[in-house]
Amino acid sequence: MSVKYGILTLLYRQKNHGYELKLELESLLGIKGKINPGQIYTTLDRLIRDQFVLAAGTDDQDRKFYEITTEGKKELEIWLLEPVPYHSAKDDFHFKWSCSRTIGFEQEQKMLDQQKAMIMKDVMDLTKLKTEILLQGDESKYLLINGSLLRLEADLNWIHQVENRNRS
Amino acid sequence: MIKVRGLNKEFIQGQERTHVLKGVDLTVEEGEFVAVMGPSGSGKSTLLQLLGGLDIPTEGDIVINQNKLSIMSEKERTIFRRKYIGFIFQNYQLLPTLTVEENIAFPLHADGSLTKEKNQTILKLLDSVGLKDFGQKRVNLLSGGQQQRVAIARALVNSPSVLLADEPTGNLDRNRAEEILGLISRFNREKNQTIIMVTHDIFAAGFADRIILFKDGVIDQEASRKDEDYAKYLANFMA
């Protein structure tokens, strides 16, 4: 899960202030009270420094508004279209897909296609690894890899379900 | 090498036309192991039938080891099949009342090439599929996994350069499936046999070097395993 891309997703829809961003991000992630407000403001500062976000005035309660820039939108779209490798600890495809749904991303099918290709490649790599480990007789590692393969299979089935429901 | 260009296949039943393959282009290198996946009716099994010369395309070309299938007569296709192609099916397609050895030797009887030397080949194959002591057993007394091993040995008895497998593990549980797939990939590596395997199961497809996804009669997606990526993957997984 990435606070950076969560914030960019929310600002893609509309400009907002920090506290509201924290609440909406928790709602996007399905967790409540888990994000430290400090994390939101540090990330916003970094996004301003990188010119992905602008400070855009204040509201009547003197709360600072933030707005996404064209560069910020581009940054989010590039991230959405990057397939997530199995071993990536920093990203989760379900979170990415939720972000794409939140902003009504037009290239959702491309995202799904690329993720499918990534899963297929991961499955081939893991199967090769599994075969080698089996020859070495390491039963525990073999079973762990099979567990990972089953998760990838579930991910692929889930993408097929999304595609089927998108079609119907 | 297998080259498929502009492959179309239509089935006509009464007034109804079903366009199963819609212009498929595909190149498979010698010794490559390719898995073909896709939902039912996406055209994957039809592709296998056409590659094996069991049926002819409505349009398009298939060239296998420089043999152009579309210009062959039915008799020529049969000879071509015996020489170059081995088949493995989901339901094994063995002759139940014959012994294991007789089933494996069956393709040799068909083209009259059963010699003493070939008998040795059969014994070697039996050993390599782990059925050394089962030669004289009737196949209907064997388990599903063992029957598929017999079918693999039969498919390999003519040393075909291309092995076509249609859901070879569809009737087996995961453990038996893994043994069969291990066997198929071993032959792929050791004998440099080109393998095209149709499967609905990503677990089985993982044994391949390349996975092709079919959708509505065309290739929708494909992914290849590259050794340099694999090394990175290995480092990440082991970290």
Side-chain angles (χ1 to χ4, degrees), chain B residues 16 19 23 30 46 55 58 77 87 90 96 98 123-124 135 152 173 177 182 194 196 209 222 231:
Chain B
E16 210 174 303
H19 203 166
E30 194 183 330
T46 304
D55 199 352
T58 312
R77 269 191 286 127
F87 287 99
Q90 178 174 0
L98 298 186
L123 294 178
K124 269 190 205 154
I152 291 173
D173 65 43
T194 308
I196 301 182
D209 305 312
E222 65 176 281

Side-chain angles (χ1 to χ4, degrees), chain A residues 44 76 168:
Chain A
L44 278 168
L76 178 67
S168 59

Side-chain angles (χ1 to χ4, degrees), chain A residues 86-87 113 116-117 120-130 132-133 142 145-146 150 153 167, chain B residues 174 178 202-203 206-211 215 220-221 223-225 227 229-230 233-234 236-237:
Chain A
Y86 159 76
H87 49 74
D113 282 344
K116 272 191 290 184
M120 293 192 290
K121 210 179 97 39
D122 281 345
V123 167
M124 286 187 281
D125 284 340
L126 271 177
T127 305
K128 185 174 179 195
L129 189 60
K130 178 178 76 169
E132 282 170 18
I133 279 176
Y142 162 77
I145 295 174
N146 258 344
L150 288 168
E153 184 180 8
R167 267 199 294 272
Chain B
R174 277 270 155 99
E178 204 165 310
I202 184 73
F203 198 79
F207 282 80
D209 305 312
R210 177 155 58 124
I211 301 176
K215 194 164 78 181
D220 179 44
Q221 280 281 309
S224 299
R225 191 169 48 68
D227 282 342
D229 291 349
Y230 172 70
Y233 196 90
L234 188 69
N236 266 312
F237 193 83

